[in-house]
Amino acid sequence: MLWASALLCLMAGITGCNNAKQAKTASGNGQEKNMAASPQVLTFDSIGTEQSDSIVEVKLSVQYPVSGPQVLVDSIRRYIAETLIVDQQWANDRDSLLAIAARKGYSTMKEDRDEIIADGIMGLPPFYYSFNITKNCETDKYITMNCGYEEFRGGPHGSFIATATTIRKSDGKRMGWNMLTKTDTPEFRKLMIKGVRQYFEECGEKVESDEQLKDMLIIEGSVSNLPLPQAEPSLTPKGVAFCYQQYEIAAYAVGLPSFTISYADIRPYLTDEALELIEE
């Protein structure tokens, strides 16, 4: 899929992200079982629902927090409800959360499809609406959640949005652009340009100059005018991840330009709050 590279970027290092302190379990005397049952260990349950017919297909898949520090569990549940476009009052009721989200998704897509049919366009395939919310990675200081949203509303192809959200464990605060400073400087933009170039090269394109890179993009002016992504950046084991959406800076066929800037390179642009999250 065109968006696969973006998801791979956002998921990079998932197996190595869990902090060693959380990964260790004691052996013997039932200590391992006691640690697993500890309310301070963040645990998830995979939940989901599907609703489909000849008109609309809806699919929701969520990793839902079931136990752990309450401030963190509540924050992640609110994030899930907000992402699924469901009122916050249902954040702690996972069955209702999914049911309402599926019902709203189905209704919205059916209304859009009915409007197109009313304009005289017949023979439409089912419209499609899908959310996939998963845990990307976790340390003892933060957790990063991923969301992939896919839809089809007629036309030559569907669309896909990939986002990630980092949540501070100590108080449940969401971290994004508030982790960075001096992002309007030429030096920071050079890091972003380097990341976009890296994306194209990993896709098999040879980029020898900024002028050549500019020809691959749909931005105004030179590559020095490269805008920041609309989606929030997120923390990963290897650095800060960025993801541009479809058509944001490049044609649909390019996919979702995404990359990770290493902590060594981006450190001068991290706020004190962000530095606290990545330091041992």
Side-chain angles (χ1 to χ4, degrees):
M1 298 293 288
L2 292 170
W3 40 264
S5 58
L7 286 184
L8 288 174
C9 175
L10 293 174
M11 293 294 289
I14 185 170
T15 57
C17 189
N18 289 337
N19 187 274
K21 293 180 181 178
Q22 294 178 317
K24 291 181 180 178
T25 56
S27 60
N29 300 323
Q31 293 182 28
E32 182 173 346
K33 181 177 180 180
N34 290 336
M35 288 187 68
S38 169
Q40 293 306 306
V41 176
L42 186 62
T43 61
F44 290 79
D45 190 12
S46 295
I47 62 175
T49 187
E50 295 185 34
Q51 180 179 344
S52 63
D53 53 28
S54 61
I55 300 173
V56 175
E57 297 178 3
V58 173
K59 184 176 182 179
L60 306 177
S61 178
V62 177
Q63 282 190 283
Y64 186 86
V66 294
S67 66
Q70 197 60 49
V71 66
L72 181 60
V73 168
D74 289 344
S75 179
I76 297 173
R77 289 178 178 178
R78 288 194 299 269
Y79 155 75
I80 292 172
E82 180 180 311
T83 302
L84 294 178
I85 320 175
V86 174
D87 193 284
Q88 295 288 319
Q89 66 174 312
W90 304 109
N92 293 322
D93 184 343
R94 61 184 186 176
D95 292 335
S96 295
L97 180 70
L98 285 179
I100 294 170
R103 187 163 59 247
K104 290 182 65 174
Y106 184 95
S107 176
T108 298
M109 301 303 279
K110 183 178 184 302
E111 288 177 5
D112 289 351
R113 192 172 186 275
D114 288 346
E115 287 182 6
I116 295 176
I117 293 175
D119 290 334
I121 300 177
M122 306 300 291
L124 289 173
F127 278 20
Y128 184 70
Y129 179 99
S130 170
F131 273 103
N132 183 29
I133 301 174
T134 60
K135 183 184 83 169
N136 180 338
C137 59
E138 178 183 1
T139 73
D140 59 351
K141 295 183 178 180
Y142 71 83
I143 181 170
T144 294
M145 302 291 294
N146 283 356
C147 176
Y149 170 71
E150 189 175 7
E151 68 172 34
F152 173 74
R153 297 173 182 256
H157 56 70
S159 61
F160 186 83
I161 297 173
T163 61
T165 297
T166 295
I167 301 174
R168 187 166 62 188
K169 281 190 166 184
S170 62
D171 58 2
K173 180 178 179 179
R174 294 190 206 176
M175 310 298 291
W177 288 113
N178 56 350
M179 296 187 294
L180 297 170
T181 184
K182 299 180 288 187
T183 56
D184 59 345
T185 62
E187 292 76 17
F188 184 82
R189 293 308 169 98
K190 288 179 181 178
L191 291 179
M192 299 297 291
I193 293 168
K194 179 181 178 181
V196 174
R197 177 179 293 188
Q198 173 186 322
Y199 171 81
F200 278 99
E201 291 177 344
E202 291 177 351
C203 290
E205 299 286 346
K206 189 174 182 179
V207 185
E208 297 181 341
S209 66
D210 285 351
E211 290 72 23
Q212 183 181 356
L213 179 61
K214 169 60 175 65
D215 291 339
M216 297 176 171
L217 304 177
I218 53 173
I219 62 174
E220 296 183 1
S222 66
V223 291
S224 61
N225 293 325
L226 183 73
L228 297 176
Q230 296 175 4
E232 301 265 5
S234 62
L235 299 183
T236 76
K238 296 182 179 180
V240 180
F242 298 86
C243 184
Y244 289 94
Q245 305 305 311
Q246 291 174 336
Y247 296 115
E248 193 172 351
I249 61 169
Y252 177 84
V254 170
L256 284 67
S258 51
F259 51 89
T260 298
I261 300 178
S262 70
Y263 288 123
D265 288 340
I266 205 169
R267 179 174 289 272
Y269 306 97
L270 294 177
T271 63
D272 290 341
E273 282 187 313
L275 288 171
E276 289 178 359
L277 295 180
I278 64 171
E279 293 176 343
E280 294 295 333

